[in-house]
Amino acid sequence: MSISPKLALLEEYALVARALSAPARLSLLEQLAQGERGVEALAEKTGLTIANCSQHLQQLRRAGLVTSRRDGKAVIYRLTDAKTLELMDLLRIVAERNLAQVERILRGLSGGEDAPEPVSRADLAARLAEGSVTVLDVRPADEYAAGHIPGALNASLAQLEQILPTLAPDAEIVAYCRGPYCVYAHQAVATLRRHGLNARRLEGGLPEWREDGRQVLVDAG
């Protein structure tokens, strides 16, 4: 007996939902939001074996969330389109609004205190134009080199203590990282505020900034 069109549609929608049901696949989507990458690079970034990474990527591709191309013998993956990034963010929003454990985890990242409201991307763009803000990219150096907000300084969480003396005490600091699932900016803001600095995180990250059509700088070489 053939299934109804309604049930057939629900099966396809469920295919997408199942693809989002594994933390490893969400981590892969986060990495691909930074830019296209091969399987080996993705495996190294996410801590997966190459075989396991490849299996997860195939599931994401079957669900239409990522696409791939050949570069010689290598297979290079990327997000299918901006809607995948929007879906990732919507998943975060629903979880933050409705799951108490998510709130507890985020509060823990802020040292048990309420985190300050994030800065919108439009506001950051305006403040950059005025020269009235210090922007801090807390992603790894290779991701910063592949694309970053113009004027942003790069420092990992481990390097924050080293750069503190270079930050003006009265400066407004905005930290950003990888996007919907990245916690580096939360942790960086908490550290900076513990040292008495006026720090907030950006709403979204580099992927959302890029999708807004805003300028992204790529380091030469």
Side-chain angles (χ1 to χ4, degrees):
M1 183 182 295
S2 61
I3 62 174
S4 70
K6 172 68 173 291
L7 185 56
L9 277 174
L10 294 178
E11 287 286 355
E12 295 305 306
Y13 298 157
L15 177 66
V16 178
R18 285 193 295 271
L20 296 170
S21 67
R25 291 195 284 277
L26 295 180
S27 183
L28 287 168
L29 289 174
E30 178 185 62
Q31 286 297 324
L32 290 171
Q34 312 312 302
E36 64 176 17
R37 285 195 171 93
V39 178
E40 290 187 1
L42 288 167
E44 181 179 354
K45 281 283 189 179
T46 57
L48 298 169
T49 65
I50 292 177
N52 197 13
C53 181
S54 182
Q55 290 173 2
H56 283 303
L57 288 166
Q58 289 171 27
Q59 291 186 59
L60 291 170
R61 184 167 57 183
R62 282 196 293 270
L65 296 173
V66 305
T67 187
S68 64
R69 64 177 178 84
R70 285 277 179 182
D71 184 10
K73 294 182 178 181
V75 180
I76 308 299
Y77 285 86
R78 61 177 174 83
L79 297 186
T80 301
D81 55 34
K83 292 299 182 184
T84 301
L85 183 61
E86 291 177 20
L87 180 59
M88 293 165 61
D89 195 38
L90 184 58
L91 185 65
R92 175 194 63 81
I93 291 170
V94 170
E96 287 185 6
R97 288 183 178 177
N98 299 301
L99 299 180
Q101 180 64 6
V102 172
E103 182 182 357
R104 285 193 288 271
I105 292 169
L106 291 175
R107 179 177 284 271
L109 292 173
S110 299
E113 300 180 358
D114 288 332
E117 284 295 313
V119 176
S120 73
R121 296 186 293 280
D123 281 349
L124 179 59
R127 293 176 195 184
L128 278 170
E130 296 169 354
S132 62
V133 67
T134 297
V135 183
L136 195 58
D137 184 322
V138 290
R139 298 175 302 151
D142 64 311
E143 296 175 24
Y144 173 86
H148 57 270
I149 294 175
L153 307 174
N154 182 222
S156 67
L157 293 176
Q159 296 169 327
L160 280 183
E161 298 285 346
Q162 301 172 25
I163 71 164
L164 283 173
T166 70
L167 301 173
D170 58 346
E172 180 181 18
I173 302 168
V174 176
Y176 74 91
C177 52
R178 291 170 172 160
Y181 307 145
C182 191
V183 298
Y184 292 157
H186 290 271
Q187 294 170 297
V189 166
T191 297
L192 293 169
R193 291 178 75 85
R194 280 198 302 272
H195 285 84
L197 295 170
N198 177 20
R200 291 195 287 166
R201 67 180 180 85
L202 177 65
E203 186 176 53
L206 192 279
E208 290 89 349
W209 178 273
R210 181 191 289 120
E211 287 302 327
D212 286 347
R214 305 185 193 279
Q215 185 183 11
V216 172
L217 293 185
V218 177
D219 285 356

